[in-house]
């Protein structure tokens, strides 16, 4: 091959947004549905979400969180309980106004049974969960209350993009109640750290954690903390958020408890979440011009075996070898879970099948033909390497060392993303350079001195750049805020963002 | 104790429906919410559902089903595609008519942004999934398509009861597409058998599988098959259903494929589901006048350790012993899963804590005091035995034999339910005896000769008895149908039902 032939057209270089759509399509991850702004998560895409759920859920349980389930529909009046919250959410929610359908004179179904009070489909559940918490929390003995919910939520979005922004999406939302301000703040940080660990170790995505600037806070929160990841088009994605809600929601929902001295106090609450957006984020960070690249820990399947044979006699021999191999692989554990492996015996031309599986992002692909069986070695291809590379490994050795191999692929994907993020993060202390970075260069993350008076700054609006967060553990800048010329209070990460 | 003191009041004997509510409340499983007809599944109740999900999902994956996710909202016109289906579901659905809220002149939120076409919240997803399937299925090579979805659904219910009948509930719904009628029918049976296995082996509930009579079919199905379980008040609960849909839905949704000869055909589809109703069903079948009884395989926690101590010195010693024990238990596997164990160190009086944990249905309860530590034995109580019984076991032996102990509890609960079902199932071939059985006696299941002309029979309506199903593998009756006097076509199970 003189000219590199890519499996995905256009390439990232040529047209990043369109490349993203084509990667999603080629890997058969998801599709748009007839329901406005909602996607269908196809098995290969939903499988990733299942692995996100399983692994994140385990981390949450290890830190004493328990799952529960609350109603999908929230009485309209509940949204009105917290003033900032209603402003933030009321403008984009699905409203249920009727509970029955009837046929009109032409037999066409029309809404009937009008409700006295309409409901909204939960855009987030602080208010409806707060209603339960006001009953569950009576005494300091009931605290802390550490609840998580896996659920679908809905926000009526005008411009949608598969996984990244859809009207309905799947997520987990944590809601906790504490006796003291300190405990609630500690919880908010514990969760942000847990998200960082999960996203880095499972999705192989390096992130920067920090505090959101006031204009980017969750509606009703005292503080919002986030982890921010960098995509290959240099834009940021907020990969997870954790909110310290102070007593705002406990006052709105009347969550009170009797303290050890018998006095009644309002409790302190937090909320936090990650969503199916993580999948979009992971696609844009790792995939290449040959399609999807999946970190082994959350890959729907980790290994695919492609049997190669001619005629029925070869077929039986090759397939039975593959079945034995697949069984051995599945009996091996990686990350304390059985390794996920399938045999791809679809009736397809070999080259087409190979490219289809490359585009699907299987971390490891094994081709098994008669010669391999005779030599008892396997031809191994890894998705983190060029499609041209291959390695022959004794089949027993392969199975025995598979956990280390999967971990090394996981590590490689992470390291590549980390280098990219580091290469495209720059400390910028002058406004001219800042403008040049985002206007003329493909600027990634800028770390710049900032002060609160810079909120609503016109330069940022023009550049379509936003403050991502105020990274933790930083010294107070000596420089002036590049937007206002006043003393800077912090360094802030700036970027274009999804 | 002369008089038996029960933890739950009223007893099953005194008032079964109220006993059920009190068991749910005492075990802290769920509560009613402010949203009409919707429940909140509290952690102890939701934990059971998580175990149902995990284990059933594994069985579905072993039989080559894969999970996907489809939109919550269905365009109203979709419901109209299949004539019987619309009749069955249109009268009880939540309708979304607006996508925004605005404040009126008094600042009160009102629905705005009226939708051109309203949506209904899915009562079941055949029609919206059919839309995707019409694109996914093109050739016989795409078949069979074996999809499952874990989701929330909503049916506007007038009379609700926690777990058993709620407006919103959680379930899995399987939807499959096949090239031939036979393959689709085979799938329907495979799933019913899988449900039977799951419900019997995991929920410890014996069930009778069979075909629904025509009047009890799913709206739009050619045949509906069910598994029916018996509650302790002798009533039946339909624990799971599997529907052979023929070509009805493939015609409504235009699911066509090219067969091996290049001709276009309509595909054959099935659908099937079980829901959070299973939890209600399990409570009513196994629990007793002391509260919840949980089969170990699906118990939220399988073992609770209650430390007993006085003063700080004892406390440290007892707690560290309990922590070591808990760690050893969690490192042991039962049913290929880590055993679920917690230490209950709540600040509560000992007797109150004991009764609270009995009411919660922990399969095994261990009390650990100083004397037990000195003797290195454990005081074991099992929920399938009387609260007065206890057993002292060497702690190493206990941990080593714990998987067998949990399996024996599982088996005991199943056997008890099976005896009850068998004792309360009677073959009845005369109408007088049938009426007497349900009117004067606490009739359970009646197996009676029946013919299709008995549908809409007045006697059944008066007795509030319904045909549950036509059990598989039966001989044609020699008797006449007890309702019509005509030749009977089958024996049918009759019962009062939830």
């Amino acid at each position: 091959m003189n000219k590199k032939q890519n499996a995905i057209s256009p390439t990232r270089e040529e047209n990043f947004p369109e490349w993203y759509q084509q990667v999603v399509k080629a890997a058969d991850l998801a599709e748009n549905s007839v329901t406005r702004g909602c996607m269908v998560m196809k098995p290969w895409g939903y499988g990733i979400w299942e692995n996100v759920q399983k692994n994140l859920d385990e981390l949450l349980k290890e830190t004493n969180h328990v799952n529960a389930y609350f109603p999908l529909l929230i009485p309209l009046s509940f949204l009105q309980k917290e003033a900032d919250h209603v402003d933030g959410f009321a403008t984009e929610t699905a409203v249920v106004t009727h509970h029955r359908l009837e046929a009109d004179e032409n037999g066409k179904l029309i809404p009937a049974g009008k409700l006295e009070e309409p409901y909204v489909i939960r855009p987030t559940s602080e208010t409806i969960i707060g209603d339960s918490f006001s009953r569950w929390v009576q005494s300091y003995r009931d605290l802390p209350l550490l609840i998580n919910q896996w659920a679908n939520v809905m926000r009526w979005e005008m411009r949608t993009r598969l996984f990244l922004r859809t009207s309905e999406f799947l997520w987990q939302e944590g809601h906790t109640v504490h006796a003291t301000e300190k405990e609630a703040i500690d919880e908010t940080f514990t969760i942000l750290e847990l998200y960082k660990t999960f996203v880095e170790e499972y999705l192989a995505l390096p992130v920067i954690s920090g505090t959101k600037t006031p204009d980017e806070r969750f509606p009703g929160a005292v503080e919002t903390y986030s982890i921010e990841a960098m995509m290959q088009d240099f834009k940021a994605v907020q990969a997870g958020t954790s909110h310290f809600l102070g007593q705002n929601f406990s006052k709105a929902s009347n969550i009170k408890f009797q303290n050890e001295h018998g006095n009644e106090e309002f409790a302190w609450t937090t909320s936090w979440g990650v969503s199916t957006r993580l999948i979009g984020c992971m696609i844009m960070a790792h995939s290449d011009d040959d399609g999807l690249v999946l970190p082994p820990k959350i890959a729907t399947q980790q290994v695919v075996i492609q049997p190669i044979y001619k005629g029925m006699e070869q077929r039986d021999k090759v397939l039975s070898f593959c079945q034995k191999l697949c069984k051995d692989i599945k009996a091996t554990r990686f990350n304390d879970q059985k390794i996920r492996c399938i045999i791809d015996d679809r009736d397809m031309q070999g080259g087409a099948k190979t490219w289809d599986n490359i585009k699907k992002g299987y971390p490891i692909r094994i081709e098994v033909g008669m010669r391999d069986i005779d030599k008892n070695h396997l031809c191994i291809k890894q998705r983190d390497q060029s499609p041209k590379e291959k390695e022959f490994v004794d089949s027993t050795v392969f199975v025995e060392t598979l956990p280390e191999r999967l971990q090394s692929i996981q590590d490689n994907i992470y390291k590549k993303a980390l280098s990219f993020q580091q290469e495209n993060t720059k400390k910028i202390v002058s406004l001219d350079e800042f403008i040049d970075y985002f206007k003329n260069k493909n600027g990634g993350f800028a770390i710049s001195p900032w002060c609160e008076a810079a909120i609503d700054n016109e330069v940022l609006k023009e550049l379509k750049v936003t403050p991502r967060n105020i990274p933790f553990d930083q010294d107070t800048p000596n420089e002036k805020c590049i937007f206002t010329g006043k003393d800077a209070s912090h360094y802030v990460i700036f970027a274009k963002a999804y």
Side-chain angles (χ1 to χ4, degrees), chain A residues 22 40 43 58 63 69 78 116 133 137 155 164 193 196 240 258 264 332 342 352 358 401 408 452 483 494:
Chain A
Q22 292 305 320
V40 174
E58 218 161 272
T63 44
Y69 188 79
F78 271 49
E116 270 183 45
F133 283 2
V137 174
R155 299 172 188 180
L164 288 168
E193 191 57 34
K196 184 174 157 72
Q258 216 161 40
E264 205 166 59
T332 309
I342 60 162
I358 291 173
T401 57
S408 88
E452 269 204 31
F483 304 104
F494 291 90

Side-chain angles (χ1 to χ4, degrees), chain A residues 43 72 84 113 169 176 260 276 287 309 377 383 467:
Chain A
L72 171 71
D84 290 331
F169 58 91
T176 70
E260 294 185 55
T276 36
S287 298
Y309 52 79
H377 72 195
R383 188 63 181 85

Side-chain angles (χ1 to χ4, degrees), chain A residues 375-440:
Chain A
K375 292 184 182 168
N376 195 37
H377 72 195
L378 301 172
C379 176
I380 309 297
K381 318 258 190 154
Q382 293 186 191
R383 188 63 181 85
D384 60 327
Q385 298 170 349
S386 150
K388 278 182 262 177
E389 277 186 56
K390 57 184 167 190
E391 189 185 345
F392 290 96
V393 190
D394 172 87
S395 77
T396 313
V397 173
F398 171 77
V399 175
E400 279 172 10
T401 57
L402 186 49
E404 292 79 38
R405 189 181 290 270
L406 288 168
Q407 185 62 52
S408 88
I409 297 174
Q410 182 84 28
D411 293 343
N412 286 345
I413 296 174
Y414 176 76
K415 276 179 212 154
K416 198 175 159 192
L418 182 62
S419 302
F420 185 85
Q421 185 223 59
Q422 287 171 341
E423 281 160 20
N424 293 288
T425 299
K426 198 177 174 192
K427 183 172 174 182
I428 296 179
V429 297
S430 90
L431 188 58
D432 286 347
E433 196 189 342
F434 188 91
I435 293 170
D436 180 59
Y437 186 66
F438 287 112
K439 207 164 186 173
N440 306 320

